[in-house]
Every structure is written in structure tokens, then in C-alpha cells.
Amino acid sequence: MSKNDFCSGFLLWKNFSFDPSDDEAIEKASDNRTATPQDSDSKPAVTKKRKQPTECFLSQPEEKQESTVKAKKRKKKKISDILEKSAPKPGVPADLQNLLSQHFGENRSVIEIEELKLSDSCFLPANDLTHSFSSYLKEICPKWAKLRKNHKEKKSVVMLVICSSALRSLELIKSMTAFKGDCRVLKLFAKHIKIKEQMSMLEKGVFHIGVGTPGRVKALVEQDGLCLNSTKYMILDWNWRDQKLRRMMDIPEIKKETIDLLEMSIIKLCREGSVKLGLF
């Protein structure tokens, strides 16, 4: 190799050598390239954080709507609140007539409905909420003393009082002391009294007034323990309300048993004129 060739080669190598400042620029460029994906990755994280409060904000009114709906449903179930605010109205014969027509109108023919209708002549004067039980009975039964003396048939009563419970029956029996005098009153409900005991008492003795629930009276009639042919008055404890402010016809079970008892024989006897209905 000649000296000139060596010198030219050295110059070429010198021209192509890297400056340390160029290395720093390359490192900065690479740092910038690696930093850009981090910045791009951080952007969707920021957007996710922004979406979370919007989702929470939308879910809150839905929960409020559900709570308001539940509150409305609970208010509808409180029937006693509505009855407590309403003024008490005395029952009239039209109330019982409408109740019977609604009950029988669903499953009976037109002819059968006509046979079950009660005219106004079948009813006694209704209680106007000013009477006690004794004063009401004195008003509708002015000749009670004569009826009581003439009644000598067993397995029957002259007056039948129908109410919603055994406790109410006891209350009515206590409240009629001024009216009944020395006549015999029989308890006709199921609480603490077996039906066989009541049947044996009706067979052995003479009773003038029977006070009880429609279910037990119906059972006695069905088993021939009680005969209604000698009955002259049937009084429904129509206006009295229990602790839940329900009348006897507001309780589905009592309502059904009372209507069944009326259909069994009372309606027929009323249409014939032998029994009168009273709403106390």
C-alpha cells in the first residue's frame, strides 16, 4: 500500500465517525418515540374516569323512581286510612240489595236473580247511628213481650242477630240487657263452643234470641240443629267497624257466609213475609 492510499483511507474514516452529540440526539428521539405510546395509553384512562360519574348520575333517578313506586303501593294497601277519613254513613236497605245483585249477577240467570231480590217491605227501619242496640230493638220490636211469651218451640229462636266475630257477639249480648228482660239468649259462634253442644241446648230448651256469626248459624241450619220457620226478625250488625275499621260486609269470609245464609232460607222467608230484616 502506498502512502497516498493510506492517507485517503484515513480521511474517509474520519468523515464517517459519529459525533457524541449525535448519539444524544438519537437517544432523545427514541425517548420521544417511547413516550408517545404512553401518552396515547393514558388518554383512554382519562376518558374512562370521565364516564364513571355519568353512569352513577343516571342510576340515581331510577332508584328514586322505584322507591316512589313502592311507596305508592304501600299507601294503596292502607284501606283503614281512607275509611278513617270518610264520614260514617248508616246502612240502608239499598246497600244490601245492591250487594246481593252484584254477588248473584255474575253466575245466575235473570229469572234466578228476580227470585233473590228483596223489596223494601222486607226490611225494618235501619239504624241512623243514634241508637244503642237496646233502643234500636225496642223501636223495631214494640210487641216483643207478647212474642216472647208465645214462643214455646224448641230448636228455634224468635230473633237472630248476625255479627262478624265471637267478641262482637258478647258485646251485643251485654248491650241488650235493657231489651231482653228475662228471655233466654243463646251464643251461636264457634269460639270455645262445639256445635254439638249448641245443638243439644236447642233440642232441650227454649231460646228467644240467638246471637252469633254467619258461619256457625249456617252450619246449624244445614245440620238441622236450628230451624228458622219460627224466626220473626233477623238483625245484621251492619254499621259496626272493627279495629281495622272494617264492617262485617267488608270482610270477604263473613260477607260470603252471610250471603249464603240469606240464600239458604232467609230470602225466601222474607219474600213470604214471615221474616223481617234489620240493619243495625
Side-chain angles (χ1 to χ4, degrees), residues 44-274:
V46 174
T47 55
K48 288 180 180 178
K49 290 180 180 178
R50 289 176 184 173
K51 288 180 181 178
Q52 289 178 355
T54 57
E55 292 176 356
C56 294
F57 178 76
L58 291 172
S59 62
Q60 288 177 354
E62 292 178 357
E63 293 178 356
K64 289 181 180 179
Q65 290 177 358
E66 292 178 359
S67 63
T68 53
V69 171
K70 290 180 180 178
K72 288 180 180 178
K73 288 181 179 178
R74 289 175 184 173
K75 287 181 180 178
K76 287 181 181 178
K77 291 180 180 178
K78 293 180 180 179
I79 302 174
S80 59
D81 294 339
I82 300 171
L83 294 173
E84 191 173 9
K85 293 178 182 178
S86 62
K89 295 180 181 180
V92 294
D95 295 334
L96 181 57
Q97 291 170 342
N98 294 332
L99 185 67
L100 294 175
S101 62
Q102 290 176 2
H103 180 79
F104 295 126
E106 298 178 356
N107 303 319
R108 304 299 173 90
S109 63
V110 178
I111 299 173
E112 289 175 340
I113 293 173
E114 288 294 329
E115 292 177 352
L116 294 170
K117 281 186 177 180
L118 293 171
S119 62
D120 293 338
S121 61
C122 298
F123 290 90
L124 297 163
N127 180 24
D128 57 357
L129 303 181
T130 60
H131 287 282
S132 65
F133 194 43
S134 290
S135 65
Y136 175 72
L137 295 179
K138 287 179 180 180
E139 182 181 347
I140 63 173
C141 305
K143 298 180 180 180
W144 175 250
K146 184 178 180 180
L147 290 172
R148 180 190 48 164
K149 290 179 181 179
N150 294 334
H151 177 68
K152 298 178 182 179
E153 297 180 8
K154 298 180 180 179
K155 298 178 64 175
S156 64
V157 293
V158 179
M159 179 182 294
L160 190 61
V161 181
I162 304 298
C163 54
S164 58
S165 65
L167 292 175
R168 179 59 181 169
S169 300
L170 296 175
E171 290 177 3
L172 291 175
I173 292 171
K174 290 179 181 179
S175 63
M176 67 167 64
T177 51
F179 167 78
K180 67 184 181 67
D182 59 351
C183 68
R184 301 186 66 186
V185 181
L186 182 62
K187 302 172 185 176
L188 300 177
F189 50 80
K191 190 173 183 179
H192 306 306
I193 303 175
K194 295 180 180 180
I195 191 170
K196 291 182 180 180
E197 295 177 2
Q198 293 168 339
M199 292 175 67
S200 64
M201 291 174 70
L202 286 166
E203 289 176 358
K204 295 177 182 178
V206 176
F207 292 89
H208 306 90
I209 302 175
V211 184
T213 55
R216 177 49 62 92
V217 174
K218 177 188 169 185
L220 288 168
V221 174
E222 289 175 342
Q223 299 183 26
D224 295 329
L226 178 64
C227 181
L228 299 178
N229 292 331
S230 299
T231 303
K232 302 298 181 183
Y233 303 98
M234 180 174 178
I235 312 300
L236 299 177
D237 188 25
W238 188 274
N239 298 301
W240 182 80
R241 296 180 184 271
D242 60 7
Q243 292 180 352
K244 297 181 180 179
L245 300 178
R246 299 176 302 176
R247 298 174 301 177
M248 62 178 295
M249 291 301 182
D250 295 328
I251 304 171
E253 183 180 358
I254 301 298
K255 174 184 173 182
K256 183 181 181 303
E257 291 174 346
T258 303
I259 293 176
D260 291 342
L261 178 62
L262 291 171
E263 184 184 6
M264 184 181 296
S265 57
I266 297 296
I267 292 177
K268 182 181 177 182
L269 294 173
C270 289
R271 289 171 66 91
E272 293 173 355
S274 59

